Amino acid sequence: MAAHTAHSAHSARTGTRDLRETAHAAQVRELTAAGVLEDPRWRAAFAAVPRHAFVPYFWADRGAGHERLWAEDPDPGQRARWLRGVYVDAPLATRLRDGRLVSSSSQPSLMAKMLTALDVRDGDDVLEIGAGTGYNAALLCHRLGDEHVTTVDLDEEITESARAHLARLGYHPTVVTGDGARGCPARAPFDRILVTCMLPLVPHTWLGQCRPGARILAPLSTGLIALTVRDADFAEGRFLHTPAYFVPLRGATAVPPPDRTGMVRGLPYELVENERFQFMLVLTAGVLHPREALDLWRSEGRPGRERFGVSVGPEGQWSWLDDPQGPYVWPLGEA
């Protein structure tokens, strides 16, 4: 009887492992078919690093509240829901505090796009702002090696959890508990900075922790800005066309986003819902009146994200349309 029970438990564990491996392989195929894993080195990284190892539980919306789905639920139906949810191409809420989202696992296809846009080369040293579950750091470790990856998060619970997830799969990057807005001077200089939380402004401190020619890829407004660092005082670049929505950067030096209450009052509903116009509206909040933003957006041919850029200098930060020296330049993040 005991032998039969042990055999049944072994079979159940094997079946669970097979289901997880099958779901992981299916996700890699889907991302490849979607065209976001064209680089074989990133494709190999996604194939080697299973998402489920970094998301042992997540919170799903349920009516007015949230439902916790987890890998060890005694109900096999709930375990199946957890596994399906982990391998859906969607962001997952991994930490809530007083009902507020403080950490998540990013959408895998967006992660792939960002890692590709980061344009790393062998030997590059990368700083990740926002450790999250550790999944992104594991992908970077697979591509570059542990010694080239540093990941920072403000919350000790998050960094401890990320470190444990990474170690379980044999990855040992430098995981630091600290204010990401301050960077990580002890590990500088960096060739790349990858940010996985939304910024209202680019912390100037990061520029001084970069080598000349470094690349900073960060969520700003509802897009992704790709900055090239000239030196400790100046960086400039354009937005990618890709939409991006992330948990805001937290920390003592983080700047709060502008109050958008009433921002869209009186604007045509179909434009309020237009994602490209929303991007410009948020980017110029506190500088352009929403009606001014709408008139300019229409007169300039309804520009998408990729026509906008950002300059970061010693005197401040500016967003611009088409040309940093052109007629449409606005102070960034000023209320």
Side-chain angles (χ1 to χ4, degrees), residues 111-134:
M111 290 172 64
K113 290 175 184 177
M114 291 178 69
L115 289 167
T116 299
L118 195 62
D119 193 27
V120 297
R121 301 158 300 186
D122 292 346
D124 276 352
D125 293 311
V126 177
L127 171 63
E128 180 191 29
I129 306 294
T133 64

Side-chain angles (χ1 to χ4, degrees), residues 165-249:
H165 294 157
L166 285 155
R168 212 166 286 132
L169 290 187
Y171 297 111
H172 300 279
T174 300
V175 182
V176 177
T177 304
D179 187 346
R182 301 184 192 277
C184 187
R187 293 277 294 168
F190 299 101
D191 301 286
R192 299 288 186 270
I193 295 182
L194 178 65
V195 186
T196 59
C197 43
M198 189 174 69
L199 307 177
L201 289 167
V202 178
H204 202 276
T205 309
W206 293 350
L207 276 58
Q209 295 177 28
C210 286
R211 293 186 174 98
R215 188 173 180 85
I216 298 175
L217 186 67
L220 187 69
S221 179
T222 63
L224 292 168
I225 188 66
L227 297 171
T228 299
V229 178
R230 186 186 69 191
D231 52 38
D233 286 328
F234 187 79
E236 190 168 82
R238 289 182 178 273
F239 284 90
L240 309 184
H241 74 277
T242 306
Y245 300 87
F246 282 84
V247 176
L249 175 72

Side-chain angles (χ1 to χ4, degrees), residues 42-66:
W42 286 123
R43 190 160 60 247
F46 274 84
V49 181
R51 192 187 193 194
H52 68 257
F54 294 88
V55 190
Y57 65 88
F58 65 91
W59 298 90
D61 289 336
R62 185 172 186 177
H66 295 88

Side-chain angles (χ1 to χ4, degrees), residues 69 83 86 117 126 160 164 176 216 227 274 286 299 305 307-308:
L69 297 175
L83 185 61
V86 164
V126 177
E160 284 184 1
V176 177
I216 298 175
L227 297 171
N274 184 293
S299 68
R305 290 172 176 81
R307 285 180 58 188
F308 292 86

Side-chain angles (χ1 to χ4, degrees), residues 218-329:
L220 187 69
S221 179
T222 63
L224 292 168
I225 188 66
L227 297 171
T228 299
V229 178
R230 186 186 69 191
D231 52 38
D233 286 328
F234 187 79
E236 190 168 82
R238 289 182 178 273
F239 284 90
L240 309 184
H241 74 277
T242 306
Y245 300 87
F246 282 84
V247 176
L249 175 72
R250 296 180 296 145
T253 58
V255 179
D259 183 1
R260 297 170 199 161
T261 305
M263 183 186 286
V264 297
R265 191 175 295 130
L267 295 179
Y269 178 77
E270 67 275 12
L271 287 179
V272 171
E273 293 297 303
N274 184 293
E275 190 182 63
R276 293 193 300 172
F277 177 60
Q278 281 186 350
F279 167 78
M280 181 176 176
L281 200 59
V282 175
L283 190 64
T284 60
V287 182
L288 287 184
H289 186 277
R291 277 286 173 187
E292 289 181 283
L294 178 58
D295 290 344
L296 176 58
W297 188 71
R298 282 172 162 167
S299 68
E300 290 299 315
R302 303 186 175 217
R305 290 172 176 81
E306 64 278 6
R307 285 180 58 188
F308 292 86
V310 167
S311 302
V312 180
E315 291 86 29
Q317 303 184 24
W318 302 267
S319 60
W320 38 267
L321 174 63
D322 291 331
D323 183 353
Q325 307 301 321
Y328 304 122
V329 180

